Amino acid sequence: MQHPPQQHPKGTSARVLLSSVFGPYAQDDEFGSRSINPMELYHNQVTREQGPFSLRMFHRSWGIIFIQHNISAPCAVLDFPTRERFVEELRAHHYDIVGISSIIVNVGKVREMCRLVREHSPHSTIVVGGHVTAIPGVQRMIDADHVVRGEGVSWFREYLGEPADAPVQHPVIPSSFGFRVMGLHGPKGGGSPAATIIPSVGCPMGCNFCTTSAFFGGKGKVVNFFEKGQEIFNAMCDAETRLGVKSFFVMDENFLLYKARAMELLEQMKAKRKAWSLYVFSSANALKKYSMRELVELGISWVWMGLESPESEYTKLDGTDTVALTKELQSHGIGVLGSTIVGLEHHTPENIAQEIEHAVLHDTDFHQFMLYTPVPGTPLYEEMVDQGRLLPDVDLADIHGQDHFNFQHAAIPREESKRLLDWAFRLDYERNGPSVYRLAKTMMEGWKKYRYDPDPRVRERIRNAGRGLRGGYGAALFAMEKYLRESNVEVSRKIHALRKDMEQELGVAQRWVNRVAGPAVLWLARRDARKYPHGKRIEPMTFLERRNWPKTA
């Protein structure tokens, strides 16, 4: 963490504006936005080749929300503004501090926002944070007073004259918004609304390409906001009460690595009879610390797991048979989002196809493919600098792992990297089908195995999942089955078999619902695919939230 040279003269009376970079995002522009890199996690790097079945949703800028809820100063959060809305906010209120958060690809927008602050609010102190601060020499690229790398809560507290080590208050944050699939706007939260819980930031595993690990201190380093399971439980209870959710997206790079904390959380869940669902990140070696029974009781319903490559030597894999582990998790109703790196150092034109085939063999519910990318701030970036292998003509806006290599690979040409990445996404979709189908298949496995479980918490959670299956999955399966009947007969047959199984398990009424709603969903999916073959361009809505704000302002 970078410490400020001195406190702000107004301290906790200073008025603060915290903003993400301005939109639009899903288009090519002079500020560095790229149509290939929209502000969508799933459509960008997980389901992007799945046509009308690609999941579309947005996630809030959690970092600035966290800072806002942990300082005493009057503070406004402006999330996903337009350029004009940002200027309007600067001119409407007297802000002593303007904080701008960004990732590396949006450095051009940060530069422009700093210029706009100097023009419209020249008295304001400008603080820039987020991954953009990892760019070497970023201070010379932007006109900011402070460039803060790493966790921002304690920095802002110290800058405002507050105790930097005071307990962290967890804000209540809905996990996602703007859900859309098959041409349909989904219910709030995508049918299973969840809250985001952030126990810690950073990752102790320290993979050489990992921006998160490098940004928060590197290998072995992590910033724990909550050391105890009890603290996490309290934050979850607050979110449950205020948002009415029973599902939680745990934004912790390796949540299950800390078993004592997870088991303490489980104790509290058992004591208070909480039938919650948890969506978590975990390395394979951390998962191996638990029995399947422990994971099921803890409510693990979905896990994001790095697969990288069968030949990689990352410690998080630790010799694990990831194919067998994936199948075992799914057999207990636990969905898996696998993550595979394309273009590792050992990849060659002779072995890369086999490695992608191996990744697809996992048949995970979702699969992220990313290019091996030296991102500023990571050990891999420093290695490439030392070896003189960084390509000098690659714009910072294009260093995101979803386009082309930004370095000279030992065996794979740069122009081939994008083709291989696209092929990996397509192959996964063609072999395994839409992720919505795969997830429904895994949910059915959990339903069959645990709907009569002796633990009432487990039973309730699984039956909640069953209600979710009844709520629209059948119609979606009907549409997918018919949509793929000519283009992918094998996958269509698998979807048909699952739909029939669901109708038998969930009752006769489900069959009629599927046959009534299914054709309508099919028509919408075909219309969406015809109008937007690469996915409709969607932008997130703008949020403005004020906290500790004077009533007279």
Side-chain angles (χ1 to χ4, degrees):
M1 182 186 74
Q2 177 180 336
H3 291 273
Q6 59 185 19
Q7 293 178 4
H8 190 278
K10 289 193 176 181
T12 56
S13 65
R15 192 172 295 184
V16 181
L17 172 65
L18 301 175
S19 180
S20 58
V21 296
F22 61 83
Y25 309 98
Q27 66 177 31
D28 299 313
D29 65 21
E30 70 271 31
F31 300 113
S33 286
R34 297 289 188 264
S35 58
I36 197 174
N37 189 36
M39 190 70 76
E40 298 180 68
L41 172 63
Y42 283 90
H43 186 61
N44 182 15
Q45 60 200 54
V46 181
T47 61
R48 75 180 199 189
E49 288 287 337
Q50 296 189 19
F53 310 120
S54 180
L55 297 188
R56 312 296 300 273
M57 69 185 80
F58 299 99
H59 300 82
R60 293 291 306 278
S61 301
W62 298 321
I64 55 177
I65 297 173
F66 235 82
I67 294 171
Q68 182 192 41
H69 277 71
N70 283 279
I71 58 176
S72 300
C75 181
V77 159
L78 185 60
D79 209 2
F80 309 122
T82 61
R83 184 174 177 275
E84 294 72 24
R85 183 64 187 84
F86 179 66
V87 171
E88 179 186 334
E89 187 64 25
L90 290 175
R91 299 176 69 176
H93 299 277
H94 182 101
Y95 285 107
D96 300 290
I97 302 168
V98 177
I100 303 166
S101 178
S102 174
I103 56 176
I104 288 170
V105 296
N106 288 319
V107 63
K109 291 189 172 183
V110 175
R111 181 188 302 114
E112 174 65 2
M113 292 176 80
C114 289
R115 188 192 70 78
L116 292 170
V117 175
R118 296 301 187 208
E119 178 182 349
H120 298 285
S121 186
H123 57 274
S124 298
T125 298
I126 302 175
V127 181
V128 170
H131 288 272
V132 70
T133 63
I135 299 173
V138 69
Q139 294 90 338
R140 297 188 297 275
M141 300 178 187
I142 60 177
D143 183 11
D145 298 295
H146 299 285
V147 173
V148 182
R149 186 178 184 189
E151 181 269 310
V153 170
S154 55
W155 190 94
F156 261 94
R157 283 174 166 176
E158 186 173 342
Y159 189 48
L160 295 169
E162 301 182 32
D165 57 353
V168 168
Q169 303 299 313
H170 199 294
V172 173
I173 313 172
S175 178
S176 64
F177 66 96
F179 184 83
R180 179 186 175 97
V181 66
M182 289 182 279
L184 285 166
H185 292 283
K188 187 175 181 181
S192 180
T196 295
I197 299 294
I198 309 175
S200 64
V201 291
C203 181
M205 305 308 292
C207 297
N208 65 337
F209 58 81
C210 180
T211 57
T212 302
S213 175
F215 186 70
F216 291 104
K219 188 171 185 176
K221 301 291 181 62
V222 67
V223 179
N224 273 320
F225 295 129
F226 304 111
E227 300 277 356
K228 301 293 185 180
Q230 176 71 62
E231 297 169 319
I232 299 173
F233 179 80
N234 292 341
M236 294 167 76
C237 285
D238 188 29
E240 179 187 41
T241 300
R242 294 169 62 183
L243 295 178
V245 300
K246 293 186 180 297
S247 299
F248 300 89
F249 176 57
V250 184
M251 185 58 237
D252 185 302
E253 291 294 322
N254 206 341
F255 177 69
L256 294 179
L257 187 63
Y258 307 99
K259 187 172 182 180
R261 185 177 66 177
M263 297 308 286
E264 183 180 329
L265 172 61
L266 176 56
E267 289 176 9
Q268 292 299 315
M269 289 171 62
K270 286 181 174 180
K272 301 298 169 53
R273 300 178 182 178
K274 297 296 185 181
W276 290 336
S277 294
L278 276 63
Y279 313 132
V280 305
F281 291 75
S282 179
S283 58
N285 66 343
L287 279 163
K288 289 166 62 178
K289 294 181 177 184
Y290 300 80
S291 68
M292 285 295 146
R293 184 66 199 180
E294 288 173 329
L295 294 175
V296 168
E297 290 185 355
L298 189 55
I300 305 299
S301 302
W302 178 97
V303 59
W304 186 313
M305 178 172 62
L307 306 175
E308 320 314 357
S309 160
E311 301 301 321
S312 63
E313 298 180 354
Y314 295 112
T315 56
K316 63 185 178 183
L317 297 173
D318 195 26
T320 303
D321 182 343
T322 52
V323 174
L325 178 58
T326 297
K327 302 304 179 191
E328 185 179 13
L329 289 165
Q330 291 172 325
S331 73
H332 291 269
I334 300 174
V336 178
L337 194 161
S339 179
T340 294
I341 303 297
V342 176
L344 289 163
E345 291 282 34
H346 71 275
H347 284 161
T348 67
E350 292 73 33
N351 68 22
I352 185 66
Q354 180 181 349
E355 294 241 339
I356 292 173
E357 290 269 6
H358 177 78
V360 170
L361 179 66
H362 286 76
D363 192 12
T364 54
D365 302 80
F366 300 89
H367 210 129
Q368 172 186 253
F369 292 95
M370 295 284 286
L371 290 178
Y372 194 52
T373 304
V375 176
T378 63
L380 179 60
Y381 184 87
E382 296 304 321
E383 291 174 27
M384 294 300 104
V385 169
D386 292 343
Q387 296 173 21
R389 293 169 59 189
L390 284 181
L391 298 176
D393 57 345
V394 178
D395 194 296
L396 286 165
D398 296 313
I399 302 177
H400 49 68
Q402 287 297 322
D403 191 17
H404 291 82
F405 285 147
N406 67 321
F407 74 109
Q408 185 65 52
H409 193 279
I412 299 173
R414 182 174 190 265
E415 57 271 18
E416 185 72 1
S417 60
K418 176 67 160 53
R419 188 193 69 80
L420 286 167
L421 183 68
D422 290 344
W423 178 66
F425 279 114
R426 285 195 301 272
L427 184 67
D428 181 57
Y429 174 52
E430 291 166 3
R431 291 275 179 85
N432 300 320
S435 285
V436 174
Y437 148 67
R438 297 183 235 173
L439 185 60
K441 182 174 61 173
T442 297
M443 292 170 70
M444 275 303 296
E445 290 293 322
W447 163 264
K448 290 178 179 179
K449 185 164 288 188
Y450 292 107
R451 60 178 164 165
Y452 299 123
D453 193 84
D455 184 335
R457 292 186 318 105
V458 173
R459 196 163 61 244
E460 180 183 347
R461 179 173 66 83
I462 294 301
R463 291 182 177 179
N464 285 340
R467 284 191 285 272
L469 286 169
R470 289 188 180 94
Y473 275 94
L477 291 173
F478 180 97
M480 287 184 278
E481 174 192 338
K482 306 304 180 186
Y483 186 96
L484 297 170
R485 187 161 51 185
E486 293 182 2
S487 62
N488 195 330
V489 175
E490 183 60 29
V491 168
S492 179
R493 286 174 179 166
K494 291 178 180 178
I495 296 172
H496 174 81
L498 175 63
R499 181 170 64 84
K500 289 295 186 181
D501 187 29
M502 282 179 56
E503 291 174 353
Q504 182 176 347
E505 290 287 337
L506 300 177
V508 176
Q510 187 66 41
R511 184 184 312 163
W512 290 107
V513 170
N514 296 347
R515 280 159 177 72
V516 171
V521 176
L522 173 62
W523 182 85
L524 287 168
R526 284 175 171 163
R527 185 190 66 169
D528 199 62
R530 185 171 58 253
K531 291 179 66 176
Y532 313 107
H534 302 292
K536 183 179 181 180
R537 181 178 294 172
I538 304 174
E539 296 288 337
M541 64 182 291
T542 299
F543 293 83
L544 175 63
E545 296 152 342
R546 304 191 192 280
R547 185 175 171 85
N548 302 325
W549 205 254
K551 293 182 179 180
T552 57

